[in-house]
Amino acid sequence: MALDYFKKLSIRWKVALATSVYILFVLLGAIFFTAFSFEQKLLKEKNQSIVENIKNIIESYKDSFVLRNLEKIDEMIKKIDDLPSVFYVSVLDIDGRIIGDTDISNLGFVNKKLLQEFGKKPVIKKEKNIISFYYPVKIDTENIGFVVSKYNLDILKYTIDKEIIKILIQTLAIASLVILVSFAGVFVISGYMVKPLINLKNKITKITTAYIDSSEIDLEPVEAINPDEKCIKDISDVCWLLSENAGDILLSLGDKSLKECSVCEKFRQLSGDEIQQLNYSFYMMVASLKEYLRKLDEAHRERETLNCMATMGEMSAKIAHEVKNALYAIGNAANYLKNNIENDLVKEFSGVIKEEVNRLNKMTVSFLNFSKLIEPVFEKGNLNDEITRSVMLLKPDMDFENIKLILELDKTLPDFPFDKNLMKQVIFNLVLNSIDALKEKDSEDKFIKIKTEYIKMSDRKIARITVEDNGAGISKENKDKIFQPFFTTKPKGTGLGLPMVYKIIFSHNGAISMESEEGKGTKFIIDLRPE
């Protein structure tokens, strides 16, 4: 039922609805996949954080075990019990006697079975969603007591889910807005795309009902700058597209217009886009048909009925051929409209659609590409040459921002296998980051320095790439986060650029590090093994 209703809709409604539904599914898939991945990551980090906090609290109260300071031990238990999702803490001495517990009724009991079960190393045991953390307290290598704590993963997951739901609601609101904007934009654009076809249909109807029966074709000349009216095919004195008497000249050309003008370079230049060319093709078809009609009329008067029928058959075959060509042109023109329709309003809405669709896109991609296993295609090449080619593509951006490019490439660096496309991506990401960092700096002395070295490290030689700038730098609190996925300080960033660089270098069995000082600049150091 819904499919039948959809089939009855106009093209603009079909395109708008289909595009919106597609965007909806893509956005929902990306949002929920990201939310699930984020939840698992946060759950793991929170779990590790609780374990580390318990360890730190225990270690800070280690003296209490030596001095048997029960008051301090109770204080330690309270601190551990105050941690998120922790619901049970028990402290045992070296003999297994409980000397501290969240349940005071357990004090004094001996639990040697627990000592035998866990031994002398920290143990984490999971039963359903309850985590038991057994931690032996030591001075040097000697045990002086034991702490058992339990916490509930469901409570931990609940607190994380509450935070994620808030983010999901905001994200879904933005996604809804994007879908509405996309629907409106596609609806308007598809309307402008369909409008020329509707006009063309009306012209075809007008042609068949008026032009064929009349002795003239109403055509306005094409406007051109400094036009050369000469016909380069020499089938007429002037080019009919540029003449004030375009219709009359076209009628006089008849079938020649289809044969000669359709392959004329001047015709392609003057006739505009595919839709306009299609319009002129129909006018030429009319001229050709009128010529055929005139010839048929003469044949009808001069020949017998049999010859007239033969001529009609030949004409019908040619018409069918021309209609087939015209239909082929209609198909190509309809396809071409998406990217080449000349209309300011369409371009404006196309820009809105293109911007929004390109963005989200770009994140997802980032999210996916990022989720794919990178498998380099190693090919022996010169790293210096690849760096030079990559950087030169970004040179206009540097010149626009008045950024000086400094290349110090070590000519002793040998050729070695690496993935050229992936290495180009590394250079692009690092240089673009430097350009963005330098945009924020109000200085005339802005530079990006790229250096290669072939140096010996330990027992082997390495190829080192250094990308340095004197831009805004990276703050101390962000230094440890720059290679984390989805972390970004850019308003429109995806947070996948540097993590992708890290993955690429890792896939080459290399290493990457960063040195930065806020306000002074940043340096990325990449070490690769040429062997």
Side-chain angles (χ1 to χ4, degrees):
M1 190 71 181
L3 184 60
D4 292 337
Y5 179 75
F6 182 76
K7 289 179 179 179
K8 294 176 182 179
L9 294 175
S10 65
I11 291 178
R12 65 190 306 189
W13 277 100
K14 287 179 180 178
V15 172
L17 286 174
T19 304
S20 299
V21 170
Y22 174 77
I23 293 173
L24 173 65
F25 279 108
V26 171
L27 285 177
L28 288 179
I31 289 170
F32 286 109
F33 174 78
T34 305
F36 175 77
S37 302
F38 193 50
E39 179 198 49
Q40 296 302 311
K41 180 183 177 183
L42 280 179
L43 189 60
K44 184 178 179 181
E45 290 178 353
K46 291 276 188 182
N47 190 16
Q48 291 175 347
S49 175
I50 290 175
V51 171
E52 289 300 321
N53 285 335
I54 292 173
K55 286 182 182 180
N56 293 335
I57 292 172
I58 294 172
E59 289 296 324
S60 66
Y61 282 87
K62 188 182 291 185
D63 293 341
S64 302
F65 287 82
V66 179
L67 301 174
R68 284 298 183 96
N69 189 334
L70 298 181
E71 184 179 345
K72 285 291 185 179
I73 289 175
D74 286 341
E75 185 180 318
M76 176 190 73
I77 291 172
K78 188 177 184 307
K79 282 191 175 182
I80 296 175
D81 191 45
D82 287 340
L83 292 175
S85 75
V86 175
F87 64 90
Y88 175 75
V89 183
S90 182
V91 180
L92 297 83
D93 63 13
I94 191 65
D95 298 320
R97 186 180 305 278
I98 298 175
I99 59 175
D101 200 287
T102 48
D103 185 356
I104 59 174
S105 64
N106 292 331
L107 294 175
F109 282 98
V110 178
N111 194 345
K112 290 190 177 182
K113 182 181 177 182
L114 187 68
L115 303 183
Q116 295 171 356
E117 183 178 352
F118 291 108
K120 297 183 178 182
K121 294 183 178 180
V123 175
I124 296 177
K125 187 177 180 180
K126 182 178 180 182
E127 294 180 3
K128 293 184 178 179
N129 286 324
I130 303 300
I131 302 295
S132 299
F133 178 46
Y134 171 84
Y135 188 75
V137 185
K138 298 181 179 183
I139 292 181
D140 295 331
T141 58
E142 182 180 353
N143 285 355
I144 60 173
F146 308 91
V147 178
V148 179
S149 57
K150 295 183 180 182
Y151 56 94
N152 194 325
L153 280 181
D154 285 337
I155 298 175
L156 201 62
K157 188 174 182 295
Y158 176 74
T159 58
I160 292 172
D161 288 345
K162 284 179 65 177
E163 297 176 8
I164 291 177
I165 287 172
K166 292 179 182 177
I167 298 173
L168 270 178
I169 292 172
Q170 296 174 354
T171 307
L172 289 173
I174 295 172
S176 300
L177 180 61
V178 170
I179 291 170
L180 288 174
V181 172
S182 300
F183 178 84
V186 173
F187 187 79
V188 172
I189 288 176
S190 57
Y192 278 96
M193 291 169 58
V194 172
K195 188 175 180 180
L197 294 179
I198 295 173
N199 293 337
L200 183 58
K201 182 200 71 172
N202 295 334
K203 286 183 179 179
I204 293 172
T205 304
K206 189 176 180 181
I207 287 171
T208 55
T209 57
Y211 287 163
I212 291 178
D213 296 331
S214 69
S215 58
E216 61 180 19
I217 295 177
D218 184 15
L219 270 177
E220 294 183 0
V222 174
E223 294 183 2
I225 300 173
N226 300 322
D228 179 9
E229 295 188 3
K230 184 179 179 181
C231 175
I232 61 176
K233 289 289 186 178
D234 290 329
I235 58 175
S236 67
D237 295 333
V238 295
C239 176
W240 60 271
L241 280 173
L242 299 171
S243 173
E244 294 291 339
N245 301 319
D248 294 338
I249 296 175
L250 184 58
L251 281 173
S252 66
L253 292 175
D255 191 46
K256 288 181 181 179
S257 61
L258 280 175
K259 293 179 179 178
E260 300 294 339
C261 297
S262 60
V263 294
C264 176
E265 183 65 29
K266 190 171 185 177
F267 173 80
R268 284 196 289 267
Q269 292 174 356
L270 294 173
S271 57
D273 60 25
E274 280 77 2
I275 286 292
Q276 195 63 28
Q277 290 180 18
L278 186 58
N279 286 333
Y280 287 131
S281 295
F282 272 101
Y283 285 121
M284 290 189 293
M285 186 181 71
V286 169
S288 178
L289 286 173
K290 290 181 74 67
E291 182 181 6
Y292 278 120
L293 289 172
R294 179 178 56 80
K295 291 179 179 179
L296 285 173
D297 187 52
E298 292 176 356
H300 180 74
R301 294 193 301 266
E302 295 177 358
R303 300 179 184 177
E304 297 178 353
T305 303
L306 186 59
N307 291 336
C308 179
M309 292 177 64
T311 305
M312 286 290 293
E314 180 183 358
M315 184 194 70
S316 299
K318 290 189 176 182
I319 292 174
H321 177 71
E322 297 304 333
V323 169
K324 183 179 178 181
N325 288 342
L327 291 174
Y328 179 78
I330 290 173
N332 284 342
N335 185 49
Y336 194 78
L337 280 174
K338 295 180 181 179
N339 300 314
N340 293 271
I341 187 167
E342 295 294 334
N343 185 287
D344 292 339
L345 187 57
V346 172
K347 286 184 177 180
E348 179 182 351
F349 278 99
S350 296
V352 174
I353 297 294
K354 185 177 180 181
E355 181 180 347
E356 292 301 322
V357 171
N358 284 346
R359 180 174 68 86
L360 292 159
N361 194 44
K362 193 181 177 177
M363 191 174 295
T364 301
V365 171
S366 299
F367 291 150
L368 288 170
N369 283 335
F370 189 71
S371 62
K372 288 182 180 179
L373 179 65
I374 296 178
E375 297 182 358
V377 179
F378 289 99
E379 183 181 352
K380 194 170 186 179
N382 188 284
L383 184 60
N384 290 337
D385 292 344
E386 203 60 43
I387 290 173
T388 302
R389 280 193 291 269
S390 302
V391 172
M392 286 303 110
L393 294 174
L394 297 173
K395 188 66 166 60
D397 298 299
M398 297 185 221
D399 292 340
F400 182 78
E401 297 293 338
N402 295 318
I403 300 171
K404 182 181 180 183
L405 174 63
I406 304 172
L407 289 177
E408 295 182 4
L409 306 179
D410 190 346
K411 295 182 179 180
T412 65
L413 185 65
D415 292 355
F416 65 93
F418 61 91
D419 189 308
K420 294 182 179 179
N421 289 328
L422 291 179
M423 201 55 62
K424 180 184 291 184
Q425 188 175 346
V426 168
I427 300 301
F428 261 56
N429 274 320
L430 294 180
V431 173
L432 285 173
N433 279 353
S434 293
I435 293 174
D436 289 340
L438 287 164
K439 286 179 181 178
E440 302 173 13
K441 187 171 184 179
D442 185 16
S443 172
E444 295 183 358
D445 183 25
K446 298 189 287 188
F447 72 83
I448 296 176
K449 181 179 179 181
I450 302 176
K451 184 178 181 180
T452 59
E453 299 174 274
Y454 190 45
I455 58 178
K456 187 173 183 180
M457 182 175 288
S458 300
D459 58 342
R460 67 180 65 192
K461 283 195 171 185
I462 63 168
R464 171 167 290 177
I465 309 170
T466 305
V467 180
E468 181 181 1
D469 65 68
N470 62 339
I474 301 170
S475 63
K476 290 183 179 180
E477 59 269 22
N478 291 337
K479 283 184 178 180
D480 295 332
K481 303 176 185 177
I482 60 169
F483 291 116
Q484 293 178 4
F486 310 113
F487 173 78
T488 180
T489 57
K490 301 176 184 178
K492 294 186 178 181
T494 61
L496 293 175
L498 288 176
M500 182 60 73
V501 168
Y502 185 90
K503 286 186 70 175
I504 292 171
I505 298 304
F506 181 80
S507 70
H508 281 70
N509 295 319
I512 181 170
S513 59
M514 183 272 299
E515 299 174 2
S516 183
E517 186 173 349
E518 193 170 9
K520 291 188 177 181
T522 304
K523 180 193 291 185
F524 285 92
I525 302 166
I526 299 171
D527 289 338
L528 301 171
R529 301 175 182 175
E531 296 86 355

